[in-house]
Amino acid sequence: DTAVSQTPKYLVTQMGNDKSIKCEQNLGHDTMYWYKQDSKKFLKIMFSYNNKELIINETVPNRFSPKSPDKAHLNLHINSLELGDSAVYFCASSQEVDTYEQYFGPGTRLTVT
Amino acid sequence: KNEVEQSPQNLTAQEGEFITINCSYSVGISALHWLQQHPGGGIVSLFMLSSGKKKHGRLIATINIQEKHSSLHITASHPRDSAVYICAPTQGGSEKLVFGKGTKLTVNP
């Protein structure tokens, strides 16, 4: 059973479209995260949710909106996609915030044309 | 200056060699993670430590909080260890991971 899963694995879309990436974890963790890995392979946190509440919100354009319907799911909605949004997006989860190991999903490669 | 500096950026070794990857950080931290990103892109957490030393198989991670430095060692390296290794301290206060740029390790047979 996959611990942290993301769908889709690949997403190709045109500028201006709205898209969503879904993330689910079956580890019973309370905290989930979204990270972005740019073309230079540099990882950066975007959002973190703990018990469905937003606790970290980095300086991400408000076109990006995370939604956590329950503790096991954290979806990422992106409106009005831009070329610069092309990246690999990783979801992760941990038991709680702070000093707990994080488990990563396989990543979603988003390509905006 | 980046908050997290890793060295070297690239490392090529022969199978069996002892590998050391270094990480220095400037932020106050509550813990530090070492991650491995496979050539296929998947990310695996290797260690999370806040003091001292941890060992898992051929991998050893150490941290010196006073010196703001951590090292990842691989003993008897193998071609399957070829990957990018990323140091990621958890920034104290904000509890967010801050990532180094990674060290690309290639182990040749």
Side-chain angles (χ1 to χ4, degrees), chain A residues 42-113:
Chain A
F42 190 57
L43 276 160
K44 192 167 183 181
I45 189 165
M46 300 175 70
F47 301 104
S48 172
Y49 268 73
N50 182 254
N51 277 318
K52 301 197 303 175
E53 286 192 24
L54 182 66
I55 54 170
I56 294 175
N57 184 353
E58 284 298 285
T59 51
V60 176
N62 57 15
R63 297 182 294 105
F64 290 78
S65 54
K67 287 187 171 50
S68 182
D70 54 59
K71 281 194 334 181
H73 296 85
L74 180 62
N75 303 323
L76 184 65
H77 301 277
I78 316 170
N79 295 325
S80 302
L81 278 155
E82 300 178 358
L83 292 176
D85 298 331
S86 296
V88 181
Y89 293 85
F90 287 95
C91 175
S93 74
S94 64
Q95 189 172 341
E96 285 195 31
V97 189
D98 199 1
T99 55
Y100 286 92
E101 185 177 0
Q102 293 194 16
Y103 294 79
F104 286 79
T108 295
R109 182 175 293 278
L110 171 65
T111 303
V112 183
T113 61

Side-chain angles (χ1 to χ4, degrees), chain B residues 73-88:
Chain B
H73 305 285
I74 305 174
T75 61
S77 59
H78 190 275
R80 64 174 174 265
D81 297 326
S82 298
V84 175
Y85 292 84
I86 302 168
C87 169

Side-chain angles (χ1 to χ4, degrees), chain B residues 79-108:
Chain B
R80 64 174 174 265
D81 297 326
S82 298
V84 175
Y85 292 84
I86 302 168
C87 169
T90 303
Q91 192 168 20
S94 70
E95 309 311 337
K96 66 177 183 179
L97 262 62
V98 182
F99 295 91
K101 292 187 176 179
T103 294
K104 184 175 181 180
L105 171 65
T106 303
V107 182
N108 294 317

